[in-house]
């Protein structure tokens, strides 16, 4: 059974940092990433990693870093210089054989 569990969300002041973790089990994913959804907005891709290749949304470039520990089957999202507009539920997604699997989400709230 495939399972993705996020952790590390919380409340932080603007300019602060958080590190999200996503522990995967049940499969080895060819690609993993983070999406977020703010209230009243569509879910958007934040960052993605596949092998050594990474992708970042323009809104987070230079502030967020995605990384992966294959031995632990875990992906991380280091978020620095957080802004109030980063407030959202952050979801981990893993892709295997063309199918996406989603975690339950973790809330990130950035106060001004």
């Amino acid at each position: 059974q495939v399972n993705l569990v996020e952790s590390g969300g919380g409340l932080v002041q603007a300019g602060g940092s958080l590190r999200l973790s996503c522990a995967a089990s049940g499969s080895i994913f060819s690609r993993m990433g983070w999406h977020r959804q703010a209230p009243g907005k569509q879910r958007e891709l934040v960052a993605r990693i596949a092998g050594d290749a990474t992708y970042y949304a323009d809104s987070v470039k230079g502030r967020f870093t995605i990384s992966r520990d294959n031995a632990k089957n875990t992906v991380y999202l280091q978020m620095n210089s957080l802004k109030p507009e980063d407030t959202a539920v952050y979801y981990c997604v893993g892709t295997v054989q063309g199918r996406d699997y989603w975690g339950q989400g973790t809330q990130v709230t950035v106060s001004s």
Side-chain angles (χ1 to χ4, degrees):
Q1 180 179 355
V2 176
N3 199 28
L4 297 165
V5 180
E6 302 102 332
S7 61
L11 174 64
V12 64
Q13 288 188 333
S17 298
L18 282 174
R19 187 194 194 205
L20 305 183
S21 300
C22 174
S25 60
S27 183
I28 301 297
F29 299 96
S30 57
R31 185 178 68 195
M32 298 190 76
W34 291 92
H35 292 235
R36 68 185 180 187
Q37 187 166 20
K41 295 187 177 180
Q42 289 189 331
R43 190 172 298 189
E44 62 173 350
L45 174 63
V46 175
R48 188 167 58 201
I49 185 167
D52 293 330
T54 56
Y55 165 85
Y56 296 94
D58 288 342
S59 58
V60 307
K61 279 182 183 176
R63 301 188 297 122
F64 291 11
T65 302
I66 190 170
S67 61
R68 184 173 180 176
D69 185 334
N70 291 325
K72 295 181 179 179
N73 208 9
T74 299
V75 66
Y76 304 96
L77 186 67
Q78 178 67 43
M79 306 185 293
N80 299 328
S81 302
L82 283 161
K83 304 175 181 180
E85 51 263 43
D86 294 317
T87 295
V89 177
Y90 283 70
Y91 297 90
C92 174
V93 59
T95 303
V96 59
Q97 297 182 342
R99 178 176 175 179
D100 289 338
Y101 295 85
W102 295 83
Q104 81 288 351
T106 185
Q107 176 69 47
V108 171
T109 302
V110 184
S111 63
S112 58

